Amino acid sequence: MGCVIQNMTPEHYDEMIELWNRIEGVGLSDADSRDGVIAYLIRNPGLSLVATDKGMIIGAVLCGHDGRRGYLHHLAVVPERRGEGIGKALVSECLSRLGRLGIRKCNAFVFADNDDGLGFWKSAGWAQRADLTVIQGLT
Ligand SMILES: CC(C)(COP(=O)(O)OP(=O)(O)OC[C@H]1O[C@@H](n2cnc3c(N)ncnc32)[C@H](O)[C@@H]1OP(=O)(O)O)[C@@H](O)C(=O)NCCC(=O)NCCS
């Protein structure tokens, strides 16, 4: 695989947001501001990960939980390094860490038209919930 998987830290933010911005299938919002991501990392210590090679970020995922279920957001691998098992390794490490915290199920949000993203999750055995849709309100 030729990369190192390590905890995401605030120092990764600039490089990571640049990566997420250029990857189709990742939808960014105001929650992905520097302060938003740092707050997420503080609330979910030791769960979000980056994959690096020679110090450069080539993959990333935000991982957290609400005490009941785990959540993965913004899983992405740079196009030139896809197909090497990096996405799978990031997800597998997140699931291990969630499992050690007693979290038994994990959800991921995927745009309905992201066929590649859905293909990835399904090939890993994740089930698409046809009985649910996401609704959102404002505080
Ligand atoms: C989805 C993504 C993270 C996969 O990363 P990756 O490092 O290329 O995936 P891996 O090499 O770890 O692949 C793991 C497995 O998934 C399979 N897979 C990967 N993409 C697939 C696809 N589009 N359709 C079907 N299977 C796929 C691989 O064949 C591999 O199978 P194997 O374990 O039997 O060998 C990457 O394509 C990406 O960044 N896409 C854009 C962002 C995105 O859509 N993210 C997901 C939505 S949140």
Side-chain angles (χ1 to χ4, degrees):
M1 203 168 58
C3 70
V4 176
I5 293 201
Q6 60 191 97
N7 287 354
M8 185 185 289
T9 70
E11 288 68 39
H12 292 128
Y13 181 80
D14 287 335
E15 203 181 336
M16 211 169 51
I17 203 79
E18 192 273 325
L19 181 153
W20 280 333
N21 260 315
R22 69 186 162 97
I23 288 189
E24 216 175 313
V26 174
L28 299 178
S29 73
D30 53 354
D32 299 300
S33 66
R34 182 186 304 276
D35 286 351
V37 170
I38 290 172
Y40 188 86
L41 297 179
I42 291 169
R43 190 188 150 96
N44 297 282
L47 291 176
S48 297
L49 302 171
V50 292
T52 63
D53 188 11
K54 300 183 185 75
M56 283 181 51
I57 297 178
I58 56 171
V61 62
L62 283 178
C63 174
H65 70 85
D66 58 15
R68 298 170 66 247
R69 298 292 186 231
Y71 298 92
L72 297 182
H73 302 270
H74 301 349
L75 172 69
V77 172
V78 294
E80 54 276 23
R81 297 297 299 268
R82 290 188 190 158
E84 296 180 29
I86 296 169
K88 191 176 180 175
L90 286 167
V91 171
S92 165
E93 184 60 27
C94 286
L95 294 183
S96 297
R97 293 182 185 202
L98 287 169
R100 286 201 289 274
L101 296 173
I103 304 292
R104 297 288 161 228
K105 285 188 182 171
C106 186
N107 299 312
F109 297 98
V110 186
F111 287 112
D113 63 355
N114 183 355
D115 292 334
D116 278 347
L118 284 168
F120 168 82
W121 292 111
K122 287 180 181 173
S123 96
W126 288 48
Q128 185 173 0
R129 294 284 302 260
D131 56 335
L132 283 179
T133 191
V134 176
I135 53 172
Q136 198 169 60
L138 300 177
T139 58

